[in-house]
Amino acid sequence: MATYGRGRDAERPLWLGSLKSNIGHAQAAPGVAGVIKTVMALRHAVLPKTLHAERRSTHVDWEAGAPGRSRASRRWRRGTPRRAWSAARCAPTRGGWAWPVRPDVVLGHSVGEIAAAHGVGILSLPDACDLGAARGGLMDRLPPGGAMVAIVAPEAAVLPELAGHEGVAGIAAVNAPSSVVVSGPEEVVTAVADALAAGGARTKRLPGATRSTPR
């Protein structure tokens, strides 16, 4: 227990959570189910309450470290989980290089770009995590009312629909020759997506994107 939360301020303990408090013993599925719970917590920026933990076990020296039990759901600061995601992306990147294989090119998308930069030695792990947290903080400060929509169409077909909205809405990502993401104010993005859908393009509103984020 002494390894959990060592060196942390009393106001910022290491919060402990458990999937078992929700669904009991998951047999062979606790790993993936725990990831799902974490992803949902990140998506909603809420640290869920730990259930059935009113009494602490007397077989654990709780004073040896600085863990905390989330007795009520609480807002989860975006910067902290962003650091967690950045570290989670960087770890397998470096871990994979323990094998005698060296890639010629390393690519990444979104937070994966940070992991790629860390993997090739451009960023240290602390710098990569800080950059991920700063990125999350900037996204949080964007004005509300935004949306992101994935569109199965080439960039050249999408750009004309964005004409007149430069600096307000735009293409946030080109994922493939015929797959782009449009972001910006919800009413603009929705209108663009509807126009392209009327022409036969498949569209999908991306969950969790509620900020105006044109690129």
Side-chain angles (χ1 to χ4, degrees), residues 19 23 25-35:
L19 179 71
I23 63 174
H25 199 291
Q27 299 297 331
V32 66
V35 170

Side-chain angles (χ1 to χ4, degrees), residues 176-193:
S178 294
S179 176
V180 303
V181 175
V182 174
S183 68
E186 184 174 12
E187 63 275 12
V188 176
V189 172
T190 300
V192 169

Side-chain angles (χ1 to χ4, degrees), residues 85-94 97 106-125 127-129 131-132:
W85 272 123
S86 297
R89 294 287 184 91
C90 291
T93 301
R94 294 299 297 268
W97 288 7
V106 178
L107 299 175
H109 173 65
S110 187
V111 179
E113 295 175 294
I114 301 174
H118 167 67
V120 298
I122 296 175
L123 295 174
S124 66
L125 182 58
D127 286 345
C129 292
L131 182 57

